[in-house]
Amino acid sequence: MKYTFTRNVITRALVLALPVLASLPALSYAQDEQQDNAQDKLERIEVTAQKRTQSIVDVPASISAFDGKRLEELGLSELDMISDLTPGLVIQEQSPNNPGFVIRGITSDSGSSQISPRVSIYYNGVDVSRSRGSYFELFDIERVEVVKGPQATLFGTAAAVGAISVITRKPDDFDNAELALGAGNLSQRRADGFINLAGEDLKGRLAFSYRERDGYIDNIAPEQDDMNGIERTGARLSLRYTPSDAVTADFIYSYEKNDDTGTAFKNGIYAPTGGDTSPYSFVEMTGSPYSEEVLGAPKLGLDRTIDDFNLTVDWRLNDTTTLTSVTGYREFDSLEIFDADGTQAWFLEFAEDAQGEQWSQELRFSHTLDNAFILWGANYFSEEGSQRVPFSTEESIYFNCVGALGTGLPCVNEDGSVNLLTPVLTGGALNEIAYQGSYTNMGDNRSWSAFFDITYDISEELTVSGGLRYIDESRESGFAAIMPNSQLLTLLGQPTQPLLPTVSTGGAVLSDSGDDSALLPRINVLYALNKDTNWFATLSKGQRSFVVDVSSTLNEQGEVVADSSEIPAETIWNYETGIKGNWADAVNYSASIFYQDYSDFQVTLQDDAGNFYTDNAGDATNWGVETEFTAYLSNQLELFGHVAYLDAQIDDDANNGQLAGNRFRLQPEWTSSLGLMNDMTVSDGLMLRSSLVATYRSEIFFEPANAPIAGIPIKEDAVTLLNGSVGLYDEQAGWSLVLKGSNLLDKDYLVDAGNTGGSFGNPTFIAGPSRLVYLEFRQRLEW
């Protein structure tokens, strides 16, 4: 039985949480010792978003932060889980190969090698934002920071609307180790831990993580796994070398391997044998009979590997100046086989074979003066990548399923059988006609930039900061396609053409290139209203890089040539003000209001071939309000939450075409969360710790068109989810036994809809994870 909360009750509780706390005259129930403890926790919230360690209340920007202990306590092992607790952030995970990062309504999710990200994902100080290589497991983490608004001065152009920065734990100063083992429903098996060895000058840390579970959507097709299952392995070696008090060198190698069973794209029109079209019931997804030969693997699923190398050196030149060098190299190799039509028919069988490698080098100087902090430096970044998309189908099934044969026969009959019409159309000459093709986009992108940022204390109360980044970019894009003409059309005496509207290049690569440069400024003001409250205001400009969009076409002479266009850079001006601070030495809070103005807004659309491309949607604006708080009600009780509102849409102007007035995809108007953590002493050294977190999001659209496909809405109504944990902790003995769960009410909800199948009149739907519960034992050792 599933239990549900009404939207009105949950929303009212979340919205009223802050005013209720603010109305309390004093924390009379908190003793002096408890207040001191709460104040200590408040002061420990430190971030490095401005390339130096600061208290979060002193950063003149909207920023949310989670330390590693909080991630572990709440069971936040994936990036998308963090978004549930962060105002202004939505992270969608179809699979690790296909994540969507959304900050303040703006989505960054394109897998094309020709397109730049909008949201910067930083991993140990290096930009790893390329979509197919940007998603990773969270284990042995020091801190995660989410900075909203353009951050080009400090994070580069990929941070057009914000940045997510993940910092892993470095080696400790003493020998210790930790091991956690867990198991749960859907055959969950989990393990993670580390071993840390400390020498005088050289320290080392080896951390690992392994997670496996069965799929939560049953697949009745033979020789196929249940869908949305995972098997993910991660390992990280960290070395810290300190030859002197002035020099610290950190080398980090990270490895990740994903062997997930594949995404359940459930067809919204045709049901599996004996089933229905509900996204939450079983599927019959078969893939292609030639899956291994054409698509690259014998069955549906994901095979993805990431290797990441990082070398960061801090050299304190004197008492005021530090030189920092950050060198990064990252490569990924990903093959995902997916059934884009989501039926038992051999209709839209695709794969995505993506590779990429990048190298970056940053040098920066920081100067800490009596009343100023100065940061300046330069950065070089290069990446090469490709995205090859193989396609397989049976021709008569394809033409029938897209409604091109006019037979009146459905793609899939009510009894689950598939109408394969080749024998009928060819008079029995052929039983089937296998069609196989592929198209590939390529990108070679390089940039260098110089930046300067200064923070100046005008008085004890007033601090002003300003920065500027100059960036110069060159981009070369390529395209190739092997897309044969239809054999069936030839046999029927009709004009021949490829099944997908892609002009074949015969494998030859067509290319074009372009260059661009930009100046990206920011200005911030921070004013201390009193010892507990800071007011801030910011003006900043962001830019999403221009796109050299290359595909293929036929000229007037019937020759295959490049169809190339340069889509101008998308620019954004962000205006924001807010307050942050603490109240009664027990509550920290922040609240901000912002307005963003976009020019040449880039949208990702799909053509009739299912290929994603970028188009200019004109101007767009959004504004919103974000609030969050953490209240340490006592040594034992902590309350936290957020409320955010966002009005984000393409401007309702005829010049903006068919998308004018539409809401941004994947972005709810309202998001909120409310969580409670409680510690209760059981005996000396033994503690019972529990948490309960409710998250809410309002209605969202999954496609820029905001319109139904085949009469089926491509959106999701409001969703409320409940997560929690309860466990025993022995801090002295270093062990814990914890029961953790997500989606405790087993709520049905969607992760995505429309998808590639929607481009062919067959929208598909991806269900979110069902209830997941696991028991974890963790032991820490020191020697």
Side-chain angles (χ1 to χ4, degrees):
M1 181 177 181
K2 297 179 180 179
Y3 300 90
T4 59
F5 290 138
T6 66
R7 171 179 172 175
N8 290 339
V9 171
I10 289 293
T11 304
R12 184 176 301 172
L14 296 174
V15 172
L16 290 179
L18 276 175
V20 168
L21 285 171
S23 66
L24 296 175
L27 296 177
S28 58
Y29 48 85
Q31 302 300 319
D32 291 341
E33 180 181 351
Q34 296 169 338
Q35 289 182 336
D36 291 341
N37 179 270
Q39 182 65 21
D40 288 343
K41 292 180 179 179
L42 290 171
E43 293 175 351
R44 283 205 305 268
I45 303 175
E46 295 181 334
V47 295
T48 55
Q50 297 196 118
K51 309 302 182 184
R52 55 178 169 146
T53 301
Q54 293 176 282
S55 171
I56 194 170
V57 299
D58 293 329
V59 179
S62 292
I63 180 170
S64 301
F66 304 86
D67 64 21
K69 184 178 180 181
R70 172 57 56 90
L71 298 177
E72 181 183 303
E73 289 173 343
L74 296 178
L76 303 179
S77 57
E78 298 183 64
L79 283 170
D80 61 328
M81 295 179 174
I82 290 177
S83 68
D84 293 336
L85 304 178
T86 306
L89 176 67
V90 174
I91 300 178
Q92 176 208 59
E93 184 204 345
Q94 283 191 10
S95 76
N97 189 54
N98 194 10
F101 298 94
V102 188
I103 290 184
R104 292 179 171 174
I106 310 302
T107 302
S108 183
D109 65 349
S110 175
S112 171
S113 300
Q114 301 177 2
I115 299 173
S116 286
R118 281 194 184 100
V119 175
S120 180
I121 313 300
Y122 262 63
Y123 184 69
N124 287 319
V126 174
D127 183 350
V128 297
S129 306
R130 177 58 55 191
S131 174
R132 294 333 187 220
S134 63
Y135 201 88
F136 46 86
E137 297 282 279
L138 295 178
F139 64 96
D140 204 34
I141 298 298
E142 178 182 321
R143 189 172 60 258
V144 177
E145 301 174 12
V146 182
V147 191
K148 279 88 74 173
Q151 303 297 326
T153 302
L154 298 175
F155 287 95
T157 54
V161 295
I164 302 170
S165 178
V166 178
I167 302 101
T168 63
R169 283 177 177 150
K170 307 305 186 294
D172 293 332
D173 292 329
F174 52 92
D175 296 337
N176 63 104
E178 185 174 279
L179 176 65
L181 299 173
N185 65 328
L186 292 179
S187 300
Q188 288 186 77
R189 292 170 291 277
R190 311 167 69 99
D192 69 79
F194 68 86
I195 181 170
N196 189 98
L197 299 176
E200 184 175 348
D201 296 332
L202 181 65
K203 305 176 181 65
R205 189 181 186 95
L206 179 64
F208 74 94
S209 172
Y210 178 80
R211 294 195 303 136
E212 181 182 7
R213 65 163 167 76
D214 294 341
Y216 55 83
I217 298 294
D218 293 337
N219 188 2
I220 65 171
E223 300 181 3
Q224 296 289 341
D225 296 321
D226 292 337
M227 308 309 294
N228 301 327
I230 68 170
E231 184 177 358
R232 302 178 185 176
T233 304
R236 184 187 311 117
L237 173 65
S238 302
L239 300 175
R240 169 163 284 187
Y241 179 55
T242 52
S244 69
D245 292 340
V247 177
T248 299
D250 286 304
F251 171 79
I252 303 171
Y253 167 64
S254 300
Y255 168 84
E256 184 155 331
K257 175 74 169 177
N258 304 135
D259 290 299
D260 293 9
T261 63
T263 304
F265 294 97
K266 183 67 175 288
N267 195 288
I269 300 175
Y270 300 110
T273 303
D276 55 36
T277 58
S278 167
Y280 314 106
S281 60
F282 65 84
V283 297
E284 190 174 3
M285 297 172 61
T286 58
S288 165
Y290 301 93
S291 181
E292 186 164 16
E293 173 187 343
V294 177
L295 304 181
K299 58 184 178 180
L300 304 174
L302 170 66
D303 183 359
R304 173 177 176 261
T305 303
I306 293 177
D307 291 280
D308 185 281
F309 299 85
N310 180 287
L311 176 62
T312 300
V313 180
D314 286 305
W315 182 13
R316 193 173 69 253
L317 302 177
N318 52 51
D319 290 342
T320 63
T321 302
T322 299
L323 169 63
T324 300
S325 170
V326 183
T327 306
Y329 175 81
R330 187 178 181 89
E331 62 180 17
F332 66 87
D333 190 339
S334 177
L335 175 65
E336 185 166 19
I337 314 295
F338 58 99
D339 184 348
D341 60 90
T343 72
Q344 55 270 49
W346 181 9
F347 176 21
L348 300 174
E349 315 311 326
F350 282 93
E352 182 186 357
D353 185 5
Q355 290 91 34
E357 62 175 340
Q358 65 173 68
W359 179 83
S360 63
Q361 174 63 53
E362 178 166 299
L363 290 173
R364 63 176 183 261
F365 290 86
S366 60
H367 309 273
T368 304
L369 308 178
D370 290 340
N371 58 351
F373 178 80
I374 300 173
L375 181 75
W376 61 279
N379 178 282
Y380 177 78
F381 179 88
S382 69
E383 64 170 355
E384 294 183 22
S386 66
Q387 181 192 38
R388 176 176 169 268
V389 182
F391 168 66
S392 174
T393 190
E394 201 285 328
E395 290 199 23
S396 73
I397 293 177
Y398 174 86
F399 282 119
N400 189 48
C401 291
V402 297
L405 293 180
T407 63
L409 296 174
C411 180
V412 178
N413 297 313
E414 290 187 2
D415 64 359
S417 60
V418 179
N419 284 308
L420 192 157
L421 302 177
T422 294
V424 176
L425 296 173
T426 63
L430 294 172
N431 289 324
E432 64 180 34
I433 299 178
Y435 185 91
Q436 302 161 4
S438 68
Y439 52 86
T440 306
N441 65 71
M442 291 151 274
D444 185 350
N445 310 314
R446 302 172 190 273
S447 69
W448 73 270
S449 61
F451 54 91
F452 178 84
D453 196 86
I454 182 171
T455 299
Y456 185 75
D457 297 328
I458 295 178
S459 66
E460 290 186 1
E461 295 81 16
L462 180 62
T463 300
V464 177
S465 58
L468 185 68
R469 179 181 289 261
Y470 171 79
I471 184 165
D472 186 278
E473 297 180 287
S474 64
R475 310 181 70 82
E476 182 175 351
S477 297
F479 180 82
I482 301 175
M483 202 63 65
N485 288 329
S486 165
Q487 297 180 54
L488 182 59
L489 292 179
T490 301
L491 291 172
L492 296 178
Q494 298 184 20
T496 59
Q497 63 185 33
L499 263 62
L500 302 184
T502 300
V503 175
S504 180
T505 71
V509 177
L510 308 176
S511 64
D512 199 359
S513 61
D515 300 276
D516 194 17
S517 61
L519 282 172
L520 303 173
R522 76 159 186 159
I523 299 174
N524 295 313
V525 177
L526 184 73
Y527 184 77
L529 300 175
N530 54 52
K531 67 180 183 67
D532 297 320
T533 307
N534 288 335
W535 167 82
F536 72 91
T538 182
L539 168 66
S540 56
K541 181 183 180 182
Q543 176 174 295
R544 186 189 197 189
S545 299
F546 73 105
V547 176
V548 179
D549 189 46
V550 178
S551 58
S552 56
T553 190
L554 296 174
N555 62 16
E556 294 181 355
Q557 290 74 40
E559 300 169 328
V560 179
V561 295
D563 182 9
S564 177
S565 63
E566 185 170 309
I567 300 170
E570 172 186 298
T571 59
I572 169 178
W573 282 97
N574 180 71
Y575 311 87
E576 185 169 358
T577 185
I579 60 172
K580 54 176 63 177
N582 66 76
W583 172 72
D585 289 338
V587 180
N588 70 334
Y589 61 88
S590 65
S592 65
I593 183 170
F594 60 88
Y595 174 82
Q596 296 178 327
D597 187 6
Y598 294 86
S599 299
D600 297 314
F601 185 73
Q602 298 173 8
V603 292
T604 300
L605 304 173
Q606 273 184 294
D607 59 23
D608 293 336
N611 193 19
F612 289 95
Y613 67 98
T614 299
D615 200 3
N616 188 339
D619 297 332
T621 55
N622 65 10
W623 71 273
V625 179
E626 296 171 355
T627 66
E628 61 181 325
F629 75 96
T630 302
Y632 302 99
L633 305 180
S634 70
N635 272 343
Q636 291 77 38
L637 191 61
E638 177 183 337
L639 185 70
F640 57 92
H642 84 273
V643 178
Y645 171 80
L646 181 65
D647 180 15
Q649 64 180 18
I650 306 295
D651 287 352
D652 194 4
D653 186 325
N655 294 327
N656 292 336
Q658 62 179 352
L659 299 179
N662 285 8
R663 278 195 12 220
F664 296 162
R665 65 182 294 265
L666 295 180
Q667 181 58 58
E669 286 187 317
W670 287 95
T671 61
S672 55
S673 66
L674 188 62
L676 189 68
M677 295 190 68
N678 183 59
D679 291 344
M680 184 174 66
T681 301
V682 176
S683 61
D684 289 342
L686 191 62
M687 180 179 299
L688 178 67
R689 177 174 297 154
S690 58
S691 69
L692 192 63
V693 182
T695 63
Y696 169 84
R697 77 172 191 207
S698 60
E699 175 190 71
I700 61 173
F701 290 97
F702 292 111
E703 298 290 351
N706 289 187
I709 298 176
I712 303 174
I714 309 300
K715 64 177 185 177
E716 172 69 294
D717 294 331
V719 174
T720 299
L721 300 178
L722 196 65
N723 305 323
S725 66
V726 59
L728 291 172
Y729 293 78
D730 191 323
E731 300 291 349
Q732 296 178 0
W735 64 265
S736 63
L737 182 64
V738 187
L739 182 66
K740 300 178 182 180
S742 60
N743 192 8
L744 295 177
L745 303 181
D746 206 16
K747 180 77 173 180
D748 289 339
Y749 68 100
L750 295 176
V751 171
D752 208 348
N755 305 301
T756 300
S759 299
F760 298 84
N762 278 257
T764 58
F765 299 82
I766 304 172
S770 58
R771 181 193 295 121
L772 295 172
V773 179
Y774 65 94
L775 184 65
E776 177 186 84
F777 175 77
R778 185 176 298 270
Q779 177 68 62
R780 186 182 183 96
L781 299 173
E782 299 179 4
W783 62 90

